[in-house]
Amino acid sequence: MKTIIEPFRIKSVEPIRMTTRAERERLIREADFNLFSLASDDVLIDLLTDSGTGAMSSEQWAAIMRGDESYAGSPSFYRFEAAVKNLMPFKHIIPTHQGRAAESILFAMLGGAGQIIPNNTHFDTTRGNIEASGARADDLVIAEGTDPTSLHPFKGNMDLERLTAHLEEHGDAVPCVMLTITNNAGGGQPVSLENIRATAEIAHKFGKLFIIDGCRFAENAFFIKTREPGQGNREIVDIVRDCFAVADAMTMSAKKDGFGNIGGWLAINDDDLAVEARTHLIRTEGFPTYGGMSGRDLDALAQGLTEIVDEDYLRYRLRTNAYIVEKLVKLGIPVVQPAGGHAVFIDARAWLSHVDPLAYPGQAVAVALYEIGGIRSCEIGTAMFGRQPDGSEKPAAMDLVRLAFPRRTYTQSHADYIVEAFEELQGIISTLKGYKIVEEPALMRHFTCKFEKM
Ligand code: F0G
């Protein structure tokens, strides 16, 4: 059969409140054209993020009833720890309430003034935690990784030559080398097993810790299986184990490939670092056998981690994005190719060539998609990154719009509806106008700023 079906049946549903276009035009105006300010009940298809928004399985809901809320030594923790170690054989598993809490603990230990931390591309919160410690965050992804049209199969790969030069230049200032799989900030693009191993080898040659941000490890493993020579006949779990076998530590947001609504962890091999991390954990998150989670969260993740490596699920998961990307390409809409693991990225700067980057073409696309179809996406461009520390304004590297797909939540008819909304938008694209920001905070303005249509 050619059709890749959703490999699940639906047992419990959440109704979508239908809205009219006139209603949505009013609602987005009242929200000052900022999609973060909308009530989610006013959204038909919510693609703001894939983080914590997925559907849990019946087995996960059953596991929640098993959750044990003991402060210390809960069996839920041991089930969670075993599930993590089954995939990622690190010595110490330290539970946190989400990914950024693991990052905060890690960089409280490894960061600090004068330190420099390279990555393929740091996610915002990783960068934020590094910079808050006084350290610097450098992005060293391969050149193809920032070219929306390049069809390279592993656009998330670390640029190994630049990494070597970086380590030769900065030597003692670098405490660790990071690698984000998949590379979210670069379009959800995967990193090959070969590149993971080579990055680890270079880090170790220079005596540095090698740390993986593993948020979307299962999607990355499926890309390895389907795209990397020699990997096609291997089990996903074996590929996952190989990815982490060469790492000294990892950070994780279990809200992504943990099938959790909340949760995360920091995993470390070094005993001394683990003692230090647990001390931070007790001060900021909780006792080491629950960290920032309840016992029921830990059990939901223990079960989720067995489901996320299911090949039928992953085939369907990655097909959803590829299906939409193929149709958008046919419509002549510029998109980041090949399709990423968790999201579809629209190249708004190319699509709205008549709108200046400083008039936020990505915001114009995101607002129009909401007005036309009630679809909530997210601008990742000049509105998000354009404000400089001195308050001036500069175009971001790219003006993208991200449609991130919650796991197991929407169906193929939702995908067809999204494509239909794009088709309608394509018909009026030359009439779209830019935006200006009329009110903004000094930092992370995109969450709360107010826009006005030009
Ligand atoms: N690392 C990556 C690669 C991420 O994508 C995220 C979150 C984090 C770390 C932080 O994890 O949210 O649990 O604290 N990304 C979400 C997103 C928010 O929408 O892309 P967290």
Side-chain angles (χ1 to χ4, degrees), residues 40-103:
S40 61
D41 277 349
D42 295 332
V43 175
L44 267 65
I45 299 187
D46 203 346
L47 308 179
L48 191 60
T49 180
D50 64 320
S51 181
T53 48
M56 287 207 289
S57 67
S58 49
E59 288 299 328
Q60 282 183 290
W61 285 109
I64 277 184
M65 287 307 295
R66 254 193 319 274
D68 178 295
E69 305 303 336
S70 300
Y71 189 93
S74 161
S76 300
F77 173 73
Y78 297 117
R79 286 190 283 268
F80 161 80
E81 187 188 40
V84 175
K85 284 191 174 182
N86 178 47
L87 297 171
M88 297 117 178
F90 292 103
K91 199 163 165 198
H92 303 280
I93 312 295
I94 296 166
T96 59
H97 78 279
Q98 55 185 81
R100 64 198 73 184
E103 294 163 358

Side-chain angles (χ1 to χ4, degrees), residues 105-112 115 117 133 135 175-176 209 211 273 276:
I105 293 171
L106 182 69
F107 296 113
M109 302 190 296
L110 300 182
Q115 303 294 88
I117 292 144
S133 80
C176 62
L209 293 172
I211 304 176
L273 267 184
E276 201 184 331

Side-chain angles (χ1 to χ4, degrees), residues 34 36 124 378-379 383-384 443-449 451:
N34 187 328
F36 285 98
D124 324 11
C378 184
E379 192 264 10
M384 191 180 271
L443 283 175
M444 296 191 281
R445 67 175 178 187
H446 57 285
F447 290 119
T448 54
C449 70
F451 294 92

